[in-house]
Amino acid sequence: MSDAISLFVSSRFNGPPGMGNGGFSAGLAAQLIDGPAEVSLRASVPLDTPLSLVPTQGEHAYECRQGDQIVMTASRAAPLAPLPSPPPSLAIARKGRDHYPPVETHAFPACFVCGPARADDGLCIFTGQPDGFDGVADTWTPSEAFADKTGQIRREVLWAALDCPGAFAIGFEDRPMVLARIIAEIHARPRAGEEVIVAAWHLYDEGRKHGAATGLFSADGTLLAQSEQLWIDLKPPVTAA
């Protein structure tokens, strides 16, 4: 492909206020890459704004631009390592949201993926740590609104579902953070109406940088999709002396 294609993130698919959800936006940036893909978010993804996805010199590599500014880069990635542990059972995963922070303390309550204020049109993935599991978990039953003509859930929506749970595995409720990089690999796409187990694990901390891994699983524990993410703590606001 030699010509740019247009890319557009609707305001419905926001993350933090006024910007695109990182996972959803990354999934759009990786749409031309078959297999595992890595997306780095270089700037806030604007909403309701025409963007261009432009091939670069490297094979299977693209830049998402707003004019001359590079917003995201996307490239083919190596297959991801196995997840840290098996997923929780469906029954245990369903209890994860009992340990999820309430809307009053959520840093981004209107986030398309994890926002408690988006009960009508969001993904409503509320991953908390249930008893008997070493990460955070929830279940998710995607609606037909997120499916393609085959009834399977669209890839960019799966990328979104693979995003926010990692932040809660790290401890998002105590230290708000934003996504800097995500590597995702989709093995099989669930269908609309199919209950899916969502699980995420904290991998590491390096100063303000944190790593996490997320997996989507069928009800019987079969791995459907997975990701690894790099998160960056938001800097605390400067207060007057």
Side-chain angles (χ1 to χ4, degrees):
M1 174 182 173
S2 58
D3 297 327
I5 66 169
S6 60
L7 186 153
F8 187 87
V9 180
S10 165
S11 58
R12 176 182 181 181
F13 304 112
N14 70 288
M19 64 185 72
N21 172 264
F24 184 89
S25 303
L28 290 178
Q31 63 184 279
L32 300 176
I33 300 172
D34 292 328
E38 175 178 335
V39 177
S40 293
L41 290 93
R42 305 275 291 274
S44 299
V45 179
L47 297 170
D48 297 329
T49 302
L51 303 172
S52 298
L53 193 58
V54 183
T56 65
Q57 295 293 333
E59 185 178 7
H60 307 293
Y62 301 87
E63 292 177 346
C64 176
R65 300 176 182 171
Q66 182 184 13
D68 293 332
Q69 181 183 29
I70 298 174
V71 178
M72 295 179 283
T73 61
S75 60
R76 179 173 287 181
L80 287 169
L83 291 164
S85 69
S89 68
L90 195 62
I92 290 177
R94 286 172 178 160
K95 297 178 181 178
R97 62 178 51 204
D98 294 339
H99 304 272
Y100 192 73
V103 65
E104 293 82 7
T105 62
H106 197 294
F108 307 134
C111 174
F112 166 68
V113 177
C114 67
R118 296 293 296 276
D120 293 335
D121 67 344
L123 297 189
C124 297
I125 297 176
F126 303 143
T127 46
Q129 185 168 15
D131 295 337
F133 182 58
D134 60 349
V136 296
D138 191 15
T139 62
W140 172 47
T141 304
S143 75
E144 293 182 357
F146 305 125
D148 62 17
K149 293 180 180 179
T150 72
Q152 295 176 305
I153 302 306
R154 302 196 308 272
R155 292 181 182 275
E156 65 269 24
V157 176
L158 296 179
W159 277 69
L162 289 166
D163 170 14
C164 298
F168 285 92
I170 296 165
F172 176 82
E173 64 274 22
D174 298 320
R175 50 187 182 197
M177 58 193 76
V178 292
L179 184 69
R181 183 179 67 238
I182 180 169
I183 306 169
E185 184 172 7
I186 298 173
H187 307 290
R189 290 189 288 152
R191 302 185 68 82
E194 176 182 342
E195 189 175 22
V196 173
I197 297 168
V198 184
W201 297 261
H202 182 186
L203 297 180
Y204 64 84
D205 300 297
E206 296 177 357
R208 291 176 54 227
K209 299 179 180 180
H210 313 282
T214 302
L216 306 180
F217 304 84
S218 63
D220 65 3
T222 300
L223 180 63
L224 301 173
Q226 64 185 110
S227 73
E228 291 183 3
Q229 313 111 42
L230 170 64
W231 293 86
I232 308 293
D233 286 340
L234 292 175
K235 291 182 178 180
V238 176
T239 56

